[in-house]
Amino acid sequence: MNAAHALDVDRIRKDFPILSRTVRDGKPLVYLDSGATSQKPTEVLDAERYFYENANAAVHRGAHQLAEEATDAYESARARIAGFVGAAPSDLVFTKNATESLNLAAYSFLNATLKQRQGLALNPGEERFVIDVGDEIVVTEMEHHANLIPWQELCAKTGAVLRWIPLTDEGRLDLDQLDVLITERTKCVSIVHQSNILGTINDVRRVGEYARRVGAVYVVDACQSVPHMPVDVVALGADLVAWSGHKMLGPTGIGCLWGRSETLLAMSPFISGGSMIETVTMMGSTFAKPPARFEAGVPMTAQAVGLAAAVDYLADLGMENVYAHEHSLTGYTIERLLDLPGVRIIGPADDIDRGGAISFVVDDVHSHDVGQVLDDHGVAVRVGHHCAAPTCRRFGVSSTVRASLAVYNDERDIDTMVTAIRDAQRFFGVRV
Amino acid sequence: MRLEDMYQEVILDHYRAPHGKGLKDPYDKEVHHVNPTCGDEITLRVKLSAGDDPVVESVSFDGQGCSISQASASVMFDQVNGMPLTQAMASVDAFSELMRSATETVTPDEELLGDAIAFEGVAKYPARIKCALLSWMAFKDAAAQETASR
């Protein structure tokens, strides 16, 4: 890996038109909510517009020139996005978002289980997805609802039992009990790479070793890692890896599910219709090979093109540089927050193995009220439970304030936020 | 400054010293309402007198949430506790209407609203309207359930 070099944030900010607007009576926008969704550079907006103005057609259908060009644009986008995460294009499935990717994973278990219980033939390798009553699914106590509820639903429908890896008070996975939690009963282990609420970066390779030892399907939610650090999905040791486009400078409406070829081949589709078939008769149908098997209907082509432009943009910056920049800004943010009396960080209070999603609470001021005062200063953060309500409960809070960083943020943004936090304390009479 | 439009002094006063907080016995109906986007929650109890034209004999609540939701519950208590149910429900309607004042022309009824009139600024912040309505909707639900069960 080359030594990281500093990002020119002033130059980067010029690529994001929205960052030059003002909010709430002329305040410059300080956008610290990229964990929810990132802003988009002109390159991404232009790519989508160019596609619609020059090549728009339904892909994988039609023999006309536009259909060919649209199909090329779509498949070339797949190849660039796959290359960005070290994957083969044929192993990359486009979905609506990471939530759909994770549901696709969970429904593969339900489909296999129903097929087995009906006595239907399974795909080669699909036995791994068959659940018997009493089998177990393992997640962690820091999952986003998108990587929790699909598994709860799967358990309710199949008779499986959900177990979870607990957290330490510091906000890290407590891996001491892994061999007790991940056993021969475990059919699936699904964990987050970087927590969206705590910021913790988990040792997914280590957990993966336990999953592999018992033959469990291993799923990684990489929503908050792929946008912020170099990720080689093959090297993570997972069967399936899910992430979203809109958190990595790309458009909404597109997400990804990478899978090992043999894993994808084993899985049955959960959305069916056009484009995902081989032969169709009134008596039944056979399905296409992955990734087409999981992409029923006319896909989100302009969004794929936009996401490819986003990964090109990130690759030009260099993901090592993106990581180094955000890592250093994370450290600065934590330092500034720790300096503030009455402010408590929820999650690791250092910059070791943690990313730029930084949650905190302000004593005696509800996070919603903190967020309102920050908004008045032009600072956009997220407040609430961040779709991780059980994690909040684990730390005895109902909600937090979360600042989440991206390539276009720098220390000035954090300084503005800190000033605004002090103002919130003053406003609510906590401190003068 | 816009912030003070929302956080009027009277709202902050109710937030710091809420009226009606702490669940009371006896009661007829208890409801639990949550705001799923922010995790705010309220448990609310209501007791109505007997007869065709009942009086709200007692309202009490507990819960946690932001200043707007907590102050709103306190103000709601003042407007409904001990009042004839018809008047209490009219206050709920007046408050709901006030929360639509950013998009509709509303003439606030000071009699029915009391201190709740201070929440007019909240209506300008769509994300906070649900905070303000939480306790009022809980009361409406509890009273409606109790009335229906009679």
Side-chain angles (χ1 to χ4, degrees), chain A residues 355-372:
Chain A
I358 303 137
S359 272
F360 58 93
V361 290
V362 179
D363 290 343
D364 301 319
V365 189
H366 191 277
S367 64
H368 223 141
D369 292 318
V370 177
Q372 198 75 53

Side-chain angles (χ1 to χ4, degrees), chain A residues 200-397:
Chain A
T200 318
I201 297 173
N202 292 316
D203 189 347
V204 290
R205 281 189 197 81
R206 180 164 168 208
V207 176
E209 282 163 23
Y210 285 80
R212 194 169 327 107
R213 207 175 297 160
V214 298
V217 175
Y218 186 38
V219 183
V220 171
D221 169 5
C223 246
Q224 300 286 344
S225 54
V226 166
H228 301 291
M229 65 179 87
V231 173
D232 179 327
V233 288
V234 182
L236 290 182
D239 291 284
L240 298 166
V241 180
W243 71 97
S244 281
H246 71 97
K247 295 186 198 291
M248 55 187 296
L249 317 184
T252 51
I254 185 161
C256 297
L257 181 70
W258 170 84
R260 291 188 184 282
S261 312
E262 63 274 21
T263 309
L264 291 176
L265 267 171
M267 288 160 55
S268 292
F270 91 114
I271 297 176
S272 51
S275 290
M276 50 73 74
I277 47 85
E278 223 166 40
T279 58
V280 179
T281 71
M282 293 310 289
M283 300 301 293
S285 308
T286 58
F287 303 137
K289 296 221 168 348
R293 184 187 295 173
F294 307 106
E295 296 180 358
V298 174
M300 53 305 265
T301 316
Q303 290 79 356
V305 168
L307 181 54
V311 305
D312 289 349
Y313 184 90
L314 286 169
D316 280 350
L317 293 178
M319 286 310 285
E320 294 86 2
N321 303 326
V322 168
Y323 176 75
H325 170 74
E326 294 182 18
H327 182 73
S328 132
L329 192 54
T330 299
Y332 180 76
T333 308
I334 290 171
E335 215 171 277
R336 293 296 318 265
L337 288 175
L338 288 176
D339 266 355
L340 282 176
V343 173
R344 185 158 53 95
I345 291 173
I346 305 293
D350 55 44
D351 65 357
I352 299 160
D353 290 335
R354 74 113 71 223
I358 303 137
S359 272
F360 58 93
V361 290
V362 179
D363 290 343
D364 301 319
V365 189
H366 191 277
S367 64
H368 223 141
D369 292 318
V370 177
Q372 198 75 53
V373 179
L374 265 55
D375 171 63
D376 205 59
H377 285 252
V379 180
V381 291
R382 178 140 175 217
V383 296
H385 53 54
H386 315 290
C387 298
T391 316
C392 281
R393 212 162 286 129
R394 163 64 180 79
F395 289 96
V397 294

Side-chain angles (χ1 to χ4, degrees), chain A residues 148-159:
Chain A
L148 173 61
I149 296 165
W151 304 112
Q152 288 179 340
E153 287 290 291
L154 177 67
C155 289
K157 289 168 188 166
T158 60

Side-chain angles (χ1 to χ4, degrees), chain B:
Chain B
M1 185 177 167
R2 297 175 67 112
L3 214 50
E4 271 110 23
D5 288 348
M6 170 152 59
Y7 295 112
Q8 306 260 334
E9 203 49 50
V10 61
I11 292 179
L12 294 175
D13 287 346
H14 276 277
Y15 172 49
R16 291 182 190 118
H19 307 165
K21 191 160 181 176
L23 294 173
K24 286 200 182 76
D25 282 310
Y27 64 95
D28 296 326
K29 271 281 175 288
E30 179 179 291
V31 296
H32 182 70
H33 279 213
V34 298
N35 182 345
T37 53
C38 63
D40 286 2
E41 51 189 304
I42 186 168
T43 303
L44 181 140
R45 289 177 177 177
V46 69
K47 180 162 173 46
L48 303 181
S49 66
D52 288 341
D53 197 9
V55 168
V56 181
E57 282 186 349
S58 150
V59 175
S60 61
F61 64 89
D62 207 353
Q64 54 83 29
C66 64
S67 60
I68 299 299
S69 76
Q70 296 300 292
S72 186
S74 171
V75 166
M76 180 273 303
F77 171 83
D78 287 353
Q79 292 313 112
V80 305
N81 193 52
M83 300 295 167
L85 181 60
T86 46
Q87 188 190 323
M89 288 307 218
S91 288
V92 174
D93 289 344
F95 189 75
S96 302
E97 199 188 352
L98 186 72
M99 288 300 103
R100 296 193 296 270
S101 63
T103 51
E104 290 173 22
T105 312
V106 170
T107 315
D109 184 330
E110 293 189 30
E111 194 79 354
L112 285 171
L113 288 169
D115 281 355
I117 205 155
F119 284 75
E120 195 169 4
V122 176
K124 291 181 204 146
Y125 292 85
R128 305 306 294 274
I129 292 173
K130 269 197 275 184
C131 312
L133 281 174
L134 183 67
S135 56
W136 295 79
M137 291 302 111
F139 169 73
K140 189 179 179 178
D141 183 24
Q145 280 189 34
E146 176 55 20
T147 308
S149 70
R150 289 184 170 187

Side-chain angles (χ1 to χ4, degrees), chain A residues 5 51 107 129 199 213 215 235 327 334 355 405:
Chain A
H5 49 81
F51 173 78
Y107 272 86
F129 290 85
R213 207 175 297 160
H327 182 73
I334 290 171
L405 312 175

